[in-house]
Amino acid sequence: MSMLRLENVVKDYPLRSGVFGGTSGVLRAVDGVSLDIAAGSTFGLVGESGCGKSTLSRMVLGLERRTAGRIDAAGRDPQELKGASLKAWRRDVQIIAQDPAGALPARMRVRRLLEEPWRIHRIEPPHGRPIQVAQLLSQVGLTERHGRAFPHQLSGGQRQRVVIARALALEPRLVVCDEPVSALDVSVQAQVLDLLRRLQSEYGLTYLFISHDLRVVRSMAAEIGVMFSGLLVERGPADAVYRRPAHPYTRELLNAMPSIDGGRRLRSVAFGPPAATLDGDARRTGCPYRLRCPLAIDRCVAERPPLRQVAPTRFSACHRAEEVLSATRTSQSIGDHK
Ligand code: ADP
Ligand code: MG
């Protein structure tokens, strides 16, 4: 069963320019993204800052209307809902976002913060709020002492645990995790990711897990999608994509990662000469990555590559995906030789 399905989802923002603020064209923040997440599983969405990840998540959460396409989240189209049915649906679909410092109201104690979702939804938890708060705290590895604290008295990792507990209070089915550990130190990141994994298996949660960090996404998701400039440019099993990318942008992401596992680098062979000149206007028609792509050819200027199947479980939006797949492989990476 599918818990989240996106079909050709598009989001345009009007571009304003000039002193009178007239609109001139649009910024296509999300450009025809399709994906499908089975109930109980995690789909990882990765891509650099500004590629459209949060815009996508706001549409999934019903916080923003889309320009085109279809969304089915936990059985409903958020943008068709209002009133009581919207409120009911919001219990099923929650967000865990970045930067707890800004996300939590500063003047409420943690235990009150954790009661808030019930108050807002006018629900009395089965065993009463104090007991339920204590349970939530222990589920995320906090204690009564943390419950009495104010957010600023907690560490970044503890605050993020509070954010997670709040998202879980209403027993959601689908959770959008938008850069949930990006504001945390690496050692704390690992603990919070462990917690998210444990909660998922305990409650059968479905995650749309968003991060700019491919390593984080790989550790969380069985399947990943790589986004560039509003487009899904690659999709496939996380391990396969990580070991043998099928899109040059994915390869760039991998090569940019700090190498903690032994100077890991992707070997590549020489390709033909890159496209000579690329003017700004042609950006709309060709491949949006070609301006940075070491493999760009004339065809990449003339024709936008669609996301297509390039191997049994692999999809790539690159005209030269087959060459990328066969020409790159990871070297010296742990696990390659087992
Ligand atoms: P990411 O989460 O991947 O960093 P975003 O979804 O935040 O990317 O942004 C995608 C693009 O859309 C960016 O170019 C950003 O400037 C633009 N954008 C995001 N929100 C708005 C908005 N409310 N109005 C106009 N442009 C926006
Ligand atoms: Mg974002």
Side-chain angles (χ1 to χ4, degrees), residues 48-55 57-58 98 178-179 210:
E48 66 201 11
S49 172
C51 72
K53 305 183 296 297
S54 293
T55 303
S57 77
R58 286 196 300 275
Q98 192 180 10
D178 189 354
E179 306 275 7
I210 297 173

Side-chain angles (χ1 to χ4, degrees), residues 308-326:
R308 64 190 169 90
Q309 188 160 12
V310 297
T313 57
R314 310 291 304 277
F315 295 81
S316 167
C318 174
H319 291 312
R320 305 183 71 181
E322 287 79 3
E323 293 165 78
V324 177
L325 257 180
S326 62

Side-chain angles (χ1 to χ4, degrees), residues 127-167:
H127 306 290
R129 287 180 191 173
I131 288 177
Q132 211 75 11
V133 163
Q135 253 172 30
L136 272 181
L137 284 168
S138 87
Q139 271 163 4
V140 299
L142 298 175
T143 65
E144 299 278 355
R145 188 173 57 83
H146 299 111
R148 288 191 296 273
F150 289 99
H152 72 267
Q153 295 171 313
L154 303 178
S155 70
Q158 290 165 343
R159 278 200 303 268
Q160 195 63 335
R161 287 171 192 269
V162 175
V163 168
I164 292 169
R166 245 156 78 101

Side-chain angles (χ1 to χ4, degrees), residues 208-222:
L208 171 58
F209 188 95
I210 297 173
S211 174
H212 67 279
D213 187 334
L214 190 48
R215 192 163 34 215
V216 167
V217 167
R218 183 208 191 193
S219 77
M220 290 300 292

Side-chain angles (χ1 to χ4, degrees), residues 37-275:
I37 312 180
S41 70
T42 300
F43 185 90
L45 193 61
V46 67
E48 66 201 11
S49 172
C51 72
K53 305 183 296 297
S54 293
T55 303
L56 192 78
S57 77
R58 286 196 300 275
M59 290 188 284
V60 168
L61 293 158
L63 302 173
E64 197 150 27
R65 297 185 75 79
R66 56 192 180 268
T67 306
R70 294 149 73 103
I71 294 180
D72 181 321
R76 307 301 295 268
D77 176 351
Q79 132 176 344
E80 299 288 305
L81 301 172
K82 48 183 182 240
S85 57
L86 177 62
K87 207 168 169 185
W89 176 84
R90 288 208 181 286
R91 293 181 58 181
D92 281 341
V93 184
Q94 292 285 321
I95 174 142
I96 295 170
Q98 192 180 10
D99 187 23
L104 295 172
R107 289 192 310 208
M108 267 191 224
R109 289 183 199 274
V110 166
R111 60 167 181 249
R112 203 169 143 73
L113 283 169
L114 295 181
E115 286 180 0
E116 234 198 343
W118 296 313
R119 221 173 21 243
I120 292 169
H121 285 266
R122 302 212 175 103
I123 299 165
E124 206 46 54
H127 306 290
R129 287 180 191 173
I131 288 177
Q132 211 75 11
V133 163
Q135 253 172 30
L136 272 181
L137 284 168
S138 87
Q139 271 163 4
V140 299
L142 298 175
T143 65
E144 299 278 355
R145 188 173 57 83
H146 299 111
R148 288 191 296 273
F150 289 99
H152 72 267
Q153 295 171 313
L154 303 178
S155 70
Q158 290 165 343
R159 278 200 303 268
Q160 195 63 335
R161 287 171 192 269
V162 175
V163 168
I164 292 169
R166 245 156 78 101
L168 292 180
L170 298 170
E171 299 175 17
R173 296 195 288 158
L174 172 64
V175 181
V176 177
C177 305
D178 189 354
E179 306 275 7
V181 298
S182 301
L184 306 174
D185 294 340
V186 173
S187 60
V188 183
Q189 279 189 2
Q191 296 163 13
V192 173
L193 293 175
D194 275 347
L195 173 64
L196 288 172
R197 271 190 293 265
R198 187 166 60 69
L199 293 169
Q200 174 170 47
S201 64
E202 213 162 304
Y203 300 103
L205 300 170
T206 307
Y207 288 153
L208 171 58
F209 188 95
I210 297 173
S211 174
H212 67 279
D213 187 334
L214 190 48
R215 192 163 34 215
V216 167
V217 167
R218 183 208 191 193
S219 77
M220 290 300 292
E223 208 192 349
I224 68 174
V226 181
M227 227 176 143
F228 180 81
S229 188
L231 293 151
L232 207 57
V233 296
E234 170 155 14
R235 201 179 75 209
D239 280 334
V241 171
Y242 190 88
R243 280 160 186 258
R244 225 157 56 95
H247 194 285
Y249 174 61
T250 314
R251 202 171 60 183
E252 183 192 320
L253 276 181
L254 284 165
N255 277 331
M257 286 185 354
S259 47
I260 53 161
D261 49 356
R264 181 182 186 290
R265 276 285 176 269
L266 294 169
R267 261 190 276 150
S268 63
V269 297
F271 286 89

Side-chain angles (χ1 to χ4, degrees), residues 218 243 261 330 332-338:
R218 183 208 191 193
R243 280 160 186 258
D261 49 356
T330 58
Q332 299 164 3
S333 101
I334 294 165
D336 265 13
H337 307 291
K338 63 177 178 217

